[in-house]
Amino acid sequence: MQHYTARPVPPAALKELRTTDDAGRPPAPRTDDEGGAPLRCCLRRSRPGERIALVSYAPLRRWAARTGADPGAYDEQGPVFVHAGQCAGPEADGLAFTDAHRVLRRYSSDGRILGGRLVEEPDAFAPALREAFDDPAVAFVHVRAVEYGCFLYEVRRGRPQGA
């Protein structure tokens, strides 16, 4: 059975984003009175009273800077919610935010998009992810929200480190 690892925004990137986001703006932390914001630092929804920030994040740009790849026109940035201060990261190893419409975007090892799939039902998420990784050219998958197109997290083959 194939395993997949959901990867939140990496701690080093979070540290930078909490100072200046990928659009060059300082974050504007606020108290989340209602809760429910999808946090990309720990892959869970915010709880009422938590301090969060909405920052601009460019996942492919940051990945390309680390790997030397050139995603070309697929380099984009968009809004993501994170804790305003340091957090412990994900509490579990599972795939988060699978309970709503999602888009799974497939990318090659050079950062080119290989396709995407709309996932309309929660039960269809796992089969769609399996289908994406059945293609050996797929290096990683970005899970995105449908309603705003926001990046939620990256998925790679394999188990989490330390598992």
Side-chain angles (χ1 to χ4, degrees):
M1 179 175 169
Q2 180 68 46
H3 292 278
Y4 307 108
T5 300
R7 296 181 177 209
V9 175
L14 288 168
K15 184 176 180 180
E16 294 170 1
L17 293 169
R18 289 179 179 126
T19 302
T20 304
D21 71 12
D22 287 346
R25 292 184 292 267
R30 66 175 179 84
T31 300
D32 186 356
D33 294 327
E34 295 181 18
L39 298 167
R40 279 41 162 238
C41 49
C42 54
L43 301 182
R44 68 166 173 81
R45 297 207 177 267
S46 63
R47 297 176 184 122
E50 287 187 303
R51 297 280 295 158
I52 64 173
L54 183 62
V55 298
S56 185
Y57 178 56
L60 282 179
R61 182 181 313 153
R62 287 177 172 271
W63 167 80
R66 286 192 319 271
T67 65
D70 178 12
Y74 299 107
D75 174 25
E76 62 183 337
Q77 64 188 31
V80 297
F81 288 104
V82 298
H83 276 113
Q86 189 172 0
C87 83
E91 297 169 352
D93 293 334
L95 299 170
F97 313 127
T98 62
D99 58 346
H101 289 95
R102 297 292 175 234
V103 170
L104 302 183
R105 285 193 192 166
R106 297 173 278 198
Y107 292 91
S108 67
S109 62
D110 62 357
R112 301 292 190 235
I113 197 164
L114 296 175
R117 178 162 173 201
L118 174 63
V119 178
E120 298 182 84
E121 300 295 327
D123 291 345
F125 190 90
L129 191 59
R130 192 170 42 254
E131 175 187 288
F133 283 118
D134 280 347
D135 180 348
V138 172
F140 54 91
V141 172
H142 281 180
V143 177
R144 292 183 168 262
V146 171
E147 53 278 68
Y148 299 104
C150 301
F151 171 84
L152 291 169
Y153 55 92
E154 177 181 297
V155 179
R156 299 258 179 172
R157 290 177 179 91
R159 293 186 180 277
Q161 291 180 340

